[in-house]
């Protein structure tokens, strides 16, 4: 049935695609308006010529019976607009700036006269959005190239916009996203869609794309980009959160280029809070270099653009680990079995408290990255033009673990090709077709820096594996290594735009085929967990998980995503536009080329079912209507009210099913014995229970409802202020839960009690992790912003968001989604886990500015040369902290979680606050405000009640621009990051009790967010 539905849908697409009407506003803009006489009467039949100044490309349109005109699918840049009609003076608007996604309104009034009489004005479209109901923001060229960016990662600039907040606890790693992780209007970081040149740029984890170096290079390559925050049009799919869409620069009729180099050295830096004050500052040597060149191959017809950037860095940092104290190591009652493992821990070299102490060491992390882009644009005829862009990036980073016996080696390689054909069928009918091929290769491995006695291996012939002990750092390699993901995608897009009278109709189709080849080892060599240091010393293991010999996670997944839409932006009145659209988007059922797929439709069965599908496809009813309005209140283009709502579906792609689809018997067996013995576990499922990772066979499709009301007002000095409300409600959100827990007794007050000796819900298996779609989310946010476009040497932008994000669990993929995340303590009562989202930030304020320092006109000669050309740019970020939960490090409730406490919380001591923050690194919160709940019960502390440390950071740059004859310029730059050297602490250690009692380092902070003060010096030569 499902297969026939897919075939039917594909046939319909094939029939509709040639006649589809659409646009790709993600990479272009439009200029439209009304032409009237001096009495306000419409002038039909007027010729309007729109010329792109940089390439001399022209678009000619004619006004309709209402005097209306529209020129669509225009590349961003400077434009001249010329309006001509016999019997009237020619009117011309020059130097009109068009940005990505902008529908620039330019109304013209003609006066009686001859065509040879011309009236010319320097034009600017209304700065207020008069045509779209979506909440969107632009990051322009000046911000991209002149604001201080730590790492020259342009994606950081998404954080300048209202409604966009950082997600500081989201790890940058393979299968999560390597770039700057953000939340847009309450969406999880993996619910955001990233596009470059109108095509999909998301990687396997669906988080922010980036290289192993942790960002997106391309400051000199990207022209500008747009952030769509809420209720965007039906032409956008694949996402229930925001959209980030960037456009690559193109060549012009003028040869232009830049060479640059930036350097950092630890001699100019400050210590971090945790650096040893008696030792040298951890070394830093960083060099970024490159340039671009663009220009004409054939004037007015063919243009090229090319860019290269390289990064070479050796960064020192101080890592801090909690290890057994000297007194613990000297105990005479340590089990002879665990003693050799205990003595592998390094001795503490810092403060010791009872059974534990701290161990810190300086390590060096080398980073290497190369990035290149090439693009060509060609005009075939006035009606046909083509473009092609190819980009390539390769990066490698090595990072020592806190117990520095292993180095995590991460490597990425990405390639992308986009080809586009634009066909102007008629002045009011345009077709744009695109084809894109993308490849994102990500790999990580734990490389041993010392040799280990093979007799200490848990499974012979594998490796020294992992030991996790509540209250101290784990000992061993990353349990998710070695892993590689090689995601390739082929995308075809066809869009047409048609304007008729007051309607601007758009529709289109997109087909993306994903080819995901990978091998993601899990618990290779084994993984023991002890619920306390004492239990480790006495050889009392809590749980064991280990990949059985003969298992494989090598998979070749194949899947497609198909979307189609219709959108009508209807100018119901001259001052009122209605945005009406609907999108239909579905997935094909994923399949594995070698047949290595299995499912478990009945979760109480005693075995899995070999063969596909791994879940029933829930996407065939994903019809998403969207509606909104834009009202020019006063009719002068200076006051606008926007509002709207829409439905947005999240496609179930490989970031949801990949890892769990890889770990299903009979192709992969994960040993999970009931009472493990250390260090000799069983190595087959015939002698032990198996642990399962499953996607719910009856999974439902997640979706969100987005809504907003915003007001915009244009003020003098090219300034626009925005204020409004944005919200969303998430349904069927993916949660990662433990299905195979014990079955509780329900008490008279509705609480749960787990008797001693309880068995798992399905006794045929050990732990069963399940991705299920029973979650919900809630977001409400007030946004305020002010933006002054660059004028008279000054550009300013400020944004503030007061938001609250709640859900029934933020973890969708696994424990690495967020550092402050955990599985719900009980899967079968979703509302029990309601709380602030793991990425919730209540207050977020960002201010950025660029100022060309003025020079007195009376200066001359050397004084003038010295004083002129100075420029200041800065970014100030102030935000509150993210929430976290005090936890138990053992199964106090006897609920049989996967391991340790797995989301179990303590009780609150009478008279204490749920947010008992003390501040400081030694003990950020008061652990004495929490007590152990009665055995067999859950604690009464809700999820995410303690608010972690906030962040305050001020980055600043000082430039000196030196003009050189021949139109060249030298720019000398000094950039400081966190110039006030404010300490921004990371999250504290949240475990307050383990099986031995109170945890001595509860509330202790051992890391910072960002850096101490660092300086970067650079030079750019523009020619």
């Amino acid at each position: 049935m499902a297969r026939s539905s897919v075939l039917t849908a594909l046939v319909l697409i094939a029939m509709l695609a040639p006649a589809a009407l659409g646009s790709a506003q993600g990479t272009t803009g439009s200029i439209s308006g009304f032409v009237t006489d001096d009495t306000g009467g419409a002038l039909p039949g007027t010729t309007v010529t729109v010329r792109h100044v940089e390439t001399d490309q022209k678009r000619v349109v004619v006004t309709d019976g209402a005097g209306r005109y529209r020129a669509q699918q225009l590349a961003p840049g400077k434009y001249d607009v010329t309006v001509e009609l016999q019997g009237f003076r020619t009117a011309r608007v020059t130097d009109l700036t068009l940005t990505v996604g902008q529908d620039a309104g330019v109304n013209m009034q003609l006066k009686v006269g001859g065509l040879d009489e011309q009236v010319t004005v320097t034009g600017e479209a209304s700065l207020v959005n008069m045509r779209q109901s979506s909440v969107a923001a632009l990051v322009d060229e000046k911000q991209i190239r002149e604001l201080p960016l730590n790492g020259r990662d342009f994606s950081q600039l998404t954080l300048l916009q209202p409604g966009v907040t950082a997600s500081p606890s989201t790890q940058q790693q393979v299968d999560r996203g390597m770039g700057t992780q953000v939340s847009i209007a309450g969406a999880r970081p993996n619910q955001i869609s990233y596009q470059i040149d109108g095509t999909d740029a998301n990687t396997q984890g669906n988080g922010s794309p980036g290289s192993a170096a942790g960002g997106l290079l391309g400051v000199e390559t990207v022209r500008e980009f747009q952030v769509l925050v809420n209720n965007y049009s039906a032409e956008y799919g694949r996402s229930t959160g925001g959209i980030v869409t960037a456009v690559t620069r193109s060549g012009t009729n003028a040869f232009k280029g830049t060479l640059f180099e930036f350097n950092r050295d630890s001699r100019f830096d400050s210590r971090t809070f945790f650096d040893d004050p008696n030792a040298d500052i951890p070394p830093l040597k960083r060099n970024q270099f490159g340039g671009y060149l663009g220009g004409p191959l054939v004037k007015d017809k063919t243009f090229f653009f090319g860019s290269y950037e390289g990064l070479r860095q050796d960064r020192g940092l101080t890592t801090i680990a909690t290890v057994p104290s000297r007194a613990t190591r000297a105990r005479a009652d340590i089990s002879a079995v665990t003693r050799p493992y205990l003595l592998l821990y390094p001795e503490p070299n810092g403060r010791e408290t009872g059974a534990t102490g701290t161990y810190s060491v300086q390590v060096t992390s080398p980073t290497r990255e190369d990035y290149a882009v090439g693009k060509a644009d060609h005009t075939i005829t006035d009606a046909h033009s083509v473009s092609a862009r190819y980009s390539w990036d390769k990066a490698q980073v090595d990072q020592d673990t806190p117990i520095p016996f292993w180095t995590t080696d991460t490597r990425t390689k990405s390639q992308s090709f986009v080809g586009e054909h634009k066909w102007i069928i008629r002045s009011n009918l345009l077709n744009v077709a695109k084809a894109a091929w993308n490849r994102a290769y990500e790999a990580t491995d734990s490389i041993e820096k010392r040799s280990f006695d093979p007799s200490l291996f848990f499974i012979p012939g594998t490796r020294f594996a992992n030991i996790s002990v509540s209250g101290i750092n784990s000992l061993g390699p990353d349990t998710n290594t070695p892993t590689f993901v090689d995601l390739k995608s082929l995308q075809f897009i066809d869009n047409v735009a048609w304007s008729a009278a007051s309607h601007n109709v758009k529709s289109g189709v997109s087909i993306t085929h994903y080819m995901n080849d990978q091998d993601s080892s899990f618990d290779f060599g084994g993984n023991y967990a002890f619920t306390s240091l004492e239990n480790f010393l006495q050889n009392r293991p809590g749980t064991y998980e280990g990949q059985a010999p003969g298992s494989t996670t090598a998979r070749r997944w194949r899947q497609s995503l198909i979307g189609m839409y219709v959108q009508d932006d209807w100018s119901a009145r001259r001052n009122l536009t209605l945005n009406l659209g609907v999108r239909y988007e579905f997935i094909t059922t994923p399949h594995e080329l070698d047949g290595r797929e299995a499912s478990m439709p009945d979760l109480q069965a005693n075995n899995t079912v070999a063969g596909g599908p791994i879940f029933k496809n829930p996407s065939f009813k994903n019809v998403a209507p969207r509606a909104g309005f834009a009202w020019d209140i006063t009719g002068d283009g200076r006051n606008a009210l926007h509002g709207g709502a829409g439905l947005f579906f999240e496609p179930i792609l490989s970031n949801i099913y990949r890892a769990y689809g890889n770990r299903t018997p009979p192709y992969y067996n994960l040993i999970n014995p009931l009472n493990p013995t250390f260090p000799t576990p069983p190595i087959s499922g015939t002698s032990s229970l198996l642990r399962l990772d499953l996607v719910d066979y009856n999974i439902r499709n997640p979706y969100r409802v987005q809504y907003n009301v915003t007001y915009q007002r244009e003020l003098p000095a090219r300034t626009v202020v925005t204020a409004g409300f944005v919200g969303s409600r998430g349904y069927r959100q993916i949660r990662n839960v433990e299905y195979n827990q014990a079955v509780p007794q329900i008490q008279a007050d509705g609480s749960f009690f787990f008797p001693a000796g309880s068995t798992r819900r399905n006794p045929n298996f050990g732990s069963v992790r399940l991705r299920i779609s029973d979650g919900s989310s809630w977001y409400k946010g007030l946004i305020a912003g002010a933006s002054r476009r660059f004028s008279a040497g000054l550009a300013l932008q400020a944004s503030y968001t007061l938001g609250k994000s709640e859900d029934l669990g933020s973890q969708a993929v696994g424990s690495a989604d967020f550092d402050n995340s955990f599985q719900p303590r009980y899967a079968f009562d979703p509302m029990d886990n309601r709380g602030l989202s793991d990425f919730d930030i209540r207050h977020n304020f960002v201010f950025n500015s660029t100022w060309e320092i003025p020079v007195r006109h009376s200066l001359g000669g050397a004084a003038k040369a010295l004083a002129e050309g100075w420029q200041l740019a800065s970014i100030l970020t102030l935000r509150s902290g993210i929430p976290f939960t005090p936890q138990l490090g053992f199964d106090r409730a006897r609920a049989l979680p996967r391991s340790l406490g797995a989301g179990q919380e303590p009780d609150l001591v009478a008279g204490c606050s749920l947010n008992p923050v003390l501040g400081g690194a030694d003990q950020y919160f008061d652990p004495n405000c929490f007590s152990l709940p009665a055995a067999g019960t859950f604690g009464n502390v809700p999820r995410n009640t303690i608010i972690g440390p906030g962040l305050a950071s001020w980055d600043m740059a000082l430039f000196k621009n030196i003009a050189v004859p021949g139109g060249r310029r030298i720019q000398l730059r000094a950039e400081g990051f966190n110039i006030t050297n404010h300490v921004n602490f990371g999250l504290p250690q949240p475990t307050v009790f383990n099986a031995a009692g109170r945890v001595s380092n509860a509330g202790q902070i051992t890391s910072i967010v960002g850096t101490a003060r660092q300086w970067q010096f650079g030079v750019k030569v523009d020619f």
Side-chain angles (χ1 to χ4, degrees):
M1 179 65 181
R3 188 177 299 275
S4 64
S5 298
V6 173
L7 291 173
T8 301
L10 290 173
V11 170
L12 287 172
I13 291 170
M15 294 171 62
L16 292 172
L21 304 175
S23 111
Q25 283 293 98
T27 61
T28 62
S30 61
I31 297 175
S32 62
F34 291 88
V35 180
T36 61
D37 59 23
D38 53 11
T39 68
L43 291 177
T46 303
T47 300
V48 181
T49 303
V50 178
R51 184 179 75 92
H52 189 229
V53 175
E54 296 161 317
T55 62
D56 202 39
Q57 302 297 301
K58 299 181 180 69
R59 185 79 56 81
V60 179
V61 296
V62 177
T63 58
D64 61 17
R68 183 186 295 107
Y69 74 94
R70 177 181 292 273
Q72 302 189 80
Q73 297 290 337
L74 301 174
K78 295 285 187 181
Y79 282 86
D80 292 343
V81 180
T82 303
V83 180
E84 298 173 300
L85 181 64
Q86 188 68 37
F88 291 86
R89 298 178 185 176
T90 297
R92 187 170 178 234
V93 176
T94 63
D95 203 28
L96 175 69
T97 299
L98 182 68
T99 60
V100 171
Q102 182 183 13
D103 187 358
V106 180
N107 296 327
M108 305 290 286
Q109 189 176 78
L110 302 186
K111 297 183 179 297
V112 175
L115 282 175
D116 56 346
E117 299 179 74
Q118 183 166 293
V119 178
T120 302
V121 297
T122 301
E124 181 172 63
S126 172
L127 299 178
V128 172
N129 176 14
M130 294 295 170
R131 306 292 171 82
Q132 299 294 328
S133 60
S134 58
V135 178
L138 176 77
V139 180
D140 63 26
E141 285 188 276
K142 201 163 190 69
Q143 290 175 304
I144 292 172
R145 278 175 267 290
E146 298 191 2
L147 288 176
L149 297 177
N150 197 342
R152 288 175 54 81
D153 168 19
F154 75 86
S155 67
Q156 296 172 23
L157 296 173
T158 58
L159 297 169
L160 304 182
Q161 314 309 324
V164 182
T165 57
S167 182
S169 65
T170 302
Q171 298 184 21
Q172 294 175 295
Q173 66 175 48
V174 173
D175 200 29
R176 294 299 189 277
M178 305 296 294
T180 300
Q181 301 295 329
V182 302
S183 169
I184 298 181
R188 295 169 178 168
N190 62 6
Q191 293 177 322
I192 298 167
S193 180
Y194 294 84
Q195 297 182 358
I196 297 180
D197 295 327
T199 61
D200 185 11
N202 285 62
T203 54
Q204 150 64 35
N206 219 47
S208 173
S211 72
L216 278 175
L217 297 184
V219 166
E220 306 299 331
T221 301
V222 172
R223 175 160 190 135
E224 55 195 25
F225 67 91
Q226 189 180 35
V227 182
L228 303 176
V229 175
N230 186 273
N231 197 41
Y232 30 90
S233 82
E235 61 189 297
Y236 294 101
R238 201 192 185 281
S239 167
T240 62
I243 306 286
V244 179
T245 177
V247 178
T248 305
R249 295 171 77 173
S250 294
T252 67
N253 271 328
F255 285 102
K256 292 183 180 180
T258 289
L259 296 174
F260 64 86
E261 184 164 10
F262 293 84
N263 284 281
R264 295 192 209 179
D265 193 295
S266 53
R267 291 177 297 172
F268 303 102
D269 296 343
S270 299
R271 297 181 189 276
T272 73
F273 184 86
F274 296 107
D275 288 338
D276 185 347
N278 299 313
D280 292 335
I281 293 176
L284 172 65
K285 300 289 184 182
R286 181 184 178 97
N287 181 226
Q288 276 182 276
F289 52 91
Y292 83 87
L293 179 65
L297 292 174
V298 178
K299 187 177 180 181
D300 297 342
K301 293 186 72 70
T302 308
F303 310 92
F304 76 93
F305 176 87
S307 175
Y308 166 79
E309 185 165 358
L311 168 63
R312 305 291 183 267
Q313 174 179 277
D314 292 299
R315 180 174 68 100
L317 67 157
T318 301
T319 63
I320 300 176
T322 301
V323 298
S325 66
R326 290 179 175 83
T328 297
R329 298 166 65 94
R331 282 175 52 172
D333 62 341
I334 300 172
S335 165
V337 175
T338 57
R339 180 180 292 276
Y341 297 92
L342 172 75
L343 296 181
L344 285 174
Y345 276 96
E347 291 188 3
N349 56 12
R351 187 180 63 176
E352 297 183 58
T353 306
T356 63
T358 59
Y359 171 77
S360 63
V361 63
Q362 283 190 12
V363 298
T364 300
S365 174
T367 299
R368 303 291 183 267
E369 183 172 12
D370 294 284
Y371 167 80
V373 170
K375 185 178 181 182
D377 299 270
H378 176 63
T379 300
I380 303 171
T381 67
D382 289 343
H384 294 274
S385 61
V386 294
S387 69
R389 186 264 299 161
Y390 175 77
S391 63
W392 178 90
D393 184 277
K394 185 177 181 180
Q396 178 180 356
V397 176
D398 291 331
Q399 173 70 63
D400 284 358
T401 58
I403 306 293
F405 301 156
W406 294 266
T407 291
T408 301
D409 175 70
T410 303
R411 304 181 184 215
T412 58
K413 182 179 179 180
S414 64
Q415 296 170 277
S416 174
F417 173 82
V418 179
E420 176 184 286
H421 173 257
K422 185 180 296 183
W423 178 21
I424 304 173
I425 304 170
R426 296 194 302 271
S427 63
N428 66 337
L429 181 63
L430 297 86
N431 184 86
V432 178
K434 294 189 180 190
W437 181 82
N438 292 284
R439 182 183 183 187
Y441 177 86
E442 303 171 307
T444 185
D445 198 2
S446 291
I447 300 172
E448 293 180 353
K449 298 181 63 178
R450 53 157 291 176
S451 60
F452 292 91
D453 185 346
S455 68
L456 298 179
F457 294 5
F458 307 148
I459 300 176
T462 57
R463 65 179 180 180
F464 185 90
N466 194 272
I467 299 172
S468 176
V469 182
S470 178
I472 63 174
N473 280 72
S474 61
L475 180 70
D478 186 339
T479 59
N480 291 292
T481 62
T483 286
F484 82 84
V485 177
D486 188 5
L487 176 65
K488 299 168 286 291
S489 66
L490 186 61
Q491 186 174 16
F492 298 98
I493 304 170
D494 190 75
N495 300 287
V496 178
W498 174 56
S499 296
S502 59
H503 294 272
N504 182 36
V505 181
K506 299 174 282 186
S507 180
V509 61
S510 171
I511 302 174
T512 306
H513 182 62
Y514 298 101
M515 298 153 279
N516 199 343
D517 301 330
Q518 57 196 263
D519 194 346
S520 53
S521 296
F522 184 68
D523 283 342
F524 175 63
N527 180 16
Y528 278 97
F530 293 82
T531 57
S532 69
L533 178 56
E534 184 64 25
N535 282 342
F536 176 50
L537 300 178
Q538 301 306 319
N539 190 16
R540 295 192 289 262
T543 59
Y544 170 81
E545 298 175 352
Q547 179 176 310
S551 295
T552 178
T553 54
R555 300 290 187 272
R556 296 190 295 161
W557 294 105
R558 299 296 183 266
Q559 185 183 23
S560 295
L561 173 67
I562 299 98
M564 60 193 79
Y565 72 93
V566 176
Q567 177 80 26
D568 183 7
D569 296 330
W570 173 32
S571 297
R573 296 168 56 185
R574 284 196 180 185
N575 66 338
L576 177 63
T577 301
L578 301 180
N579 307 127
L580 307 171
V582 62
R583 185 175 186 87
Y584 176 57
E585 190 169 65
F586 65 93
I587 61 169
T588 60
T589 304
H591 69 281
E592 204 280 321
L593 288 185
D594 299 311
R596 294 173 179 164
E597 51 186 314
S599 63
M600 196 167 172
D602 180 4
L603 294 173
Q604 291 302 118
N606 59 10
N607 212 336
T608 59
V609 178
I614 59 175
F615 59 82
K616 290 195 296 186
N617 191 337
S619 68
F620 296 118
K621 297 181 180 180
N622 289 357
V623 178
R626 302 169 193 180
F629 68 90
W631 176 30
D632 182 357
I633 300 172
T634 53
D636 58 0
R638 297 180 180 274
N639 291 275
L641 184 69
H642 314 103
L647 198 60
F648 300 80
F649 285 91
E650 177 183 359
I652 299 175
L653 300 175
S654 60
N655 65 303
I656 300 297
Y657 65 78
R658 180 197 70 89
Y660 283 18
N662 293 0
R663 302 176 190 164
T664 311
Y667 313 104
Y668 176 87
N669 292 318
L670 191 63
I671 309 302
N672 188 205
L674 185 61
N675 295 300
T677 56
F678 180 88
T680 54
I683 59 174
S684 73
T686 59
S687 59
S688 172
L689 296 176
L690 295 179
R691 200 201 95 179
L692 299 181
D693 286 344
L694 299 170
V695 177
D696 183 13
Y697 187 76
N698 297 301
I699 196 169
R700 297 179 297 170
N701 209 110
Y703 67 94
R704 296 172 82 221
V705 177
Q706 298 182 10
Y707 45 91
N708 75 83
V709 177
T710 59
Y711 170 74
Q712 280 189 318
R713 167 69 176 172
E714 182 178 343
L715 301 177
R718 304 185 72 197
T719 300
V720 174
V721 294
T722 302
F725 171 82
V726 296
S728 67
R729 177 76 163 85
Y731 299 88
R732 303 175 182 173
Q733 301 295 285
I734 302 294
R735 295 199 308 151
N736 180 40
V737 303
E738 172 59 54
Y739 168 82
N740 209 19
Q741 294 177 277
V743 179
Q745 298 173 359
I746 309 300
Q747 305 299 293
D749 62 357
S751 62
F752 301 123
F753 176 73
F754 297 86
S758 298
T759 59
R760 291 190 180 274
R761 188 173 295 267
N762 183 343
N764 299 298
F765 296 96
S767 167
V768 177
R769 289 200 300 176
L770 184 68
R771 288 183 183 163
I772 192 170
S773 54
D774 65 349
S776 296
S777 66
W778 300 262
Y779 177 78
K780 297 177 181 178
L782 295 176
I783 60 172
S787 177
R788 171 191 165 115
R789 291 197 180 180
F790 190 77
S791 175
L794 180 64
L796 303 169
Q797 183 187 16
S799 66
Y800 171 71
T801 303
L802 171 62
K804 182 178 182 181
S805 181
E806 296 179 285
D807 56 33
L808 305 185
S810 304
Q811 184 184 119
V813 177
S815 58
D817 283 9
F818 305 93
D819 292 336
N820 54 334
S821 186
F822 50 81
Q823 285 186 315
R825 62 188 185 182
Y826 188 59
F828 297 89
D829 183 9
M831 293 302 295
D832 175 67
N833 202 51
R834 179 167 179 170
L836 296 176
S837 301
D838 296 340
F839 48 85
D840 176 72
I841 291 178
R842 189 60 45 86
H843 301 278
N844 191 76
F845 175 78
V846 184
F847 172 81
N848 70 87
S849 64
T850 302
W851 180 36
E852 293 182 351
I853 302 173
V855 177
R856 287 187 301 171
H857 295 295
S858 59
L859 291 178
K864 181 180 179 182
L866 182 63
E868 70 180 0
W870 290 97
Q871 183 175 326
L872 276 174
S874 68
I875 301 176
L876 173 67
T877 303
L878 303 171
R879 68 172 185 247
S880 53
I882 57 174
F884 66 95
T885 307
Q887 300 174 33
L888 305 183
F890 72 113
D891 184 15
R892 178 67 170 176
R894 303 188 292 247
L896 301 182
R898 174 195 170 197
S899 63
L900 303 179
Q904 295 181 27
E905 298 99 348
D907 276 339
L908 182 69
V909 172
C912 277
S913 166
L914 284 169
N915 185 26
V917 171
L918 302 174
D922 291 338
Q923 197 168 75
Y924 178 76
F925 67 89
D926 186 357
N928 295 313
C929 278
F930 306 103
S931 62
L932 274 175
T937 67
F938 291 133
N940 61 15
V941 173
R943 167 174 164 253
N944 280 347
T945 63
I946 305 179
I947 306 302
L951 180 138
S953 180
W954 188 11
D955 302 335
M956 181 173 285
L958 177 64
F959 307 157
K960 169 64 174 175
N961 297 306
I962 303 171
V964 179
R968 294 181 290 271
R969 184 187 73 165
I970 298 174
Q971 185 182 73
L972 306 177
R973 301 168 67 116
E975 299 176 323
F977 305 103
N978 190 14
I979 62 171
T980 61
N981 203 31
H982 181 78
V983 180
N984 294 300
F985 287 119
L987 289 172
Q989 202 286 105
T991 304
V992 291
F993 290 97
N994 59 26
R998 288 195 178 273
V999 175
S1000 60
N1001 65 342
Q1004 184 179 6
I1005 296 175
T1006 59
S1007 65
I1008 65 169
V1009 176
T1011 67
R1013 180 172 50 239
Q1014 291 185 344
W1015 289 97
Q1016 175 171 277
F1017 303 97
V1019 59
K1020 292 180 67 176
V1021 179
D1022 298 328
F1023 56 89

